[in-house]
Amino acid sequence: MAASAITFSSAVLACTLFLMISTHSAQLTPDFYSKSCPKVFDAVGSVIRSAVSNEKRMGASLLRLHFHDCFVNGCDGSILLDDTSSFTGEKTAGPNRNSVRGFNVIDDVKSNVEKVCPGVVSCADILAISALESVVALGGPGWKVKLGRRDSKSASLSAANSGVIPPPQSTLSNLINRFQAVGLSAKDMVALSGAHTIGQARCTTFRARVHNETNIDASFAKSRQSNCPLPTGSGDNNLAPLDVKTPNNFDNSYYKNLISQQGLLRSDQQLHNGGSTDSLVEQYSKNPGSFHADFAAAMINMGDIRPLTGSNGEIRKNCRKVNS
């Protein structure tokens, strides 16, 4: 009996140790490629810097790709997959159609990385590093990107359409709830919303706000109305900068705009509209260092959303399609 108990205890201990080791090995880590692909950051960064230099908006687009990937079934590179006979991908989902872009740049990055270390770096990790390099290229903060994600073998149009990505018409409570659903705090949400200090938005996303809402600076609304007239279908694809002051610099102007009621999207202005996040917006508007630190921390947190690790998923050879 005693011997059986000892054997049972030993088995439990061994199993526990195995689980601990397995769990630990599955964790993302900044030095994941330190031996297998030590030049991965150089390979990604050179392509991103060139792309952003050619078109400043591309930095915002690449950052957004990482965000839209992570919120749909985790940071697994699924947003990059083209449609196949077995599934319809996420590119034509409501939040992405005529909106997400930069796939060609990710193709170029993947090609460059494959030259350095073929078959080693996942497309999901390439998205994460590209987001970092884009922010840095536009004057924003750096952070230690955690790596070790693997790529999904499928994508889901229905998941991307399910509302997990907060729409530009969101209320504050919807924003907080959507971020909490993927493990991110209200503070993370306000910091990550600061990504709207770069990039542009289509008229369809802000038409109702600039024509109908009252919590908006009158002159700002008028200036946006001229480029986004009321009849739906007229000027739908016209663009406006999310940050009217410094649209190509990753700074804290976005928060200053909110205090002046110059948030372009309804979801932007909700962050400073008499609610629970007002004080954080005010803090970031006065202290760019605080914003940068919290944004970096929030990006790390977002990158931790349900990654595929270990033997799950695969390392895609082509980011647009699963391995054959």
Side-chain angles (χ1 to χ4, degrees):
M1 189 76 176
S4 298
I6 292 170
T7 303
F8 177 75
S9 298
S10 299
V12 171
L13 178 61
C15 185
T16 303
L17 287 171
F18 174 77
L19 287 172
M20 287 173 65
I21 292 167
S22 300
T23 303
H24 179 71
S25 65
Q27 298 302 307
L28 304 181
T29 171
D31 59 0
F32 186 83
Y33 297 112
S34 60
K35 292 181 179 177
S36 60
C37 192
K39 294 184 179 179
V40 62
F41 282 91
D42 293 335
V44 176
S46 60
V47 177
I48 298 301
R49 286 189 292 274
S50 176
V52 174
S53 176
N54 290 335
E55 185 199 359
K56 299 294 186 188
R57 184 189 174 203
M58 186 55 69
S61 298
L62 294 171
L63 175 58
R64 190 160 174 258
L65 267 183
H66 182 40
F67 168 67
H68 280 224
D69 180 44
C70 289
F71 267 61
V72 181
N73 293 329
C75 308
D76 60 2
S78 59
I79 195 171
L80 302 174
L81 289 171
D82 289 337
D83 297 349
T84 71
S85 57
S86 57
F87 66 81
T88 303
E90 298 162 21
K91 293 180 178 179
T92 56
N96 298 333
R97 187 177 57 251
N98 300 320
S99 176
V100 291
R101 57 196 294 274
F103 298 108
N104 58 323
V105 176
I106 297 299
D107 290 340
D108 293 342
V109 172
K110 178 64 171 175
S111 176
N112 207 39
V113 170
E114 288 295 297
K115 290 176 188 173
V116 178
C117 37
V120 172
V121 182
S122 69
C123 298
D125 277 348
I126 281 173
L127 280 178
I129 300 173
S130 296
L132 163 72
E133 296 291 349
S134 295
V135 170
V136 171
L138 293 173
W143 59 91
K144 293 199 173 199
V145 182
K146 290 161 69 174
L147 302 167
R149 301 169 192 82
R150 288 167 65 83
D151 297 322
S152 66
K153 297 180 182 180
S154 185
S156 175
L157 177 70
S158 60
N161 270 330
S162 67
V164 290
I165 300 172
Q169 296 79 27
S170 294
T171 61
L172 179 60
S173 61
N174 185 53
L175 289 169
I176 291 172
N177 291 340
R178 289 304 178 192
F179 277 74
Q180 283 182 343
V182 292
L184 298 175
S185 67
K187 183 179 181 181
D188 288 330
M189 182 272 291
V190 177
L192 289 170
S193 296
H196 284 181
T197 187
I198 54 176
Q200 301 188 56
R202 293 167 64 234
C203 166
T204 53
T205 64
F206 62 83
R207 176 183 278 124
R209 169 156 169 75
V210 301
H211 285 281
N212 302 329
E213 296 188 359
T214 56
N215 61 340
I216 187 169
D217 176 78
S219 60
F220 172 72
K222 189 173 182 180
S223 69
R224 293 282 77 93
Q225 288 169 6
S226 62
N227 194 41
C228 186
L230 256 183
T232 299
S234 177
D236 281 3
N237 293 318
N238 290 348
L239 299 172
L242 287 159
D243 174 359
V244 68
K245 294 188 175 70
T246 55
N248 294 320
N249 295 333
F250 198 97
D251 55 24
N252 67 333
S253 290
Y254 168 80
Y255 299 102
K256 296 177 182 178
N257 296 339
L258 298 185
I259 291 171
S260 303
Q261 292 194 316
Q262 294 181 347
L264 183 64
L265 307 179
R266 184 189 189 208
S267 55
D268 289 328
Q269 197 59 56
Q270 289 290 302
L271 303 185
H272 194 268
N273 195 43
S276 60
T277 55
D278 282 18
S279 59
L280 201 51
V281 169
E282 289 159 16
Q283 176 187 325
Y284 291 157
S285 74
K286 297 170 186 172
N287 190 336
S290 175
F291 162 50
H292 279 185
D294 288 354
F295 179 83
M299 284 297 295
I300 293 170
N301 292 339
M302 187 180 79
D304 277 341
I305 299 174
R306 294 168 58 190
L308 295 173
T309 57
S311 59
N312 295 315
E314 63 182 12
I315 306 298
R316 275 186 231 138
K317 297 171 185 174
N318 179 335
C319 289
R320 292 178 181 264
K321 59 184 182 180
V322 300
N323 297 337
S324 54

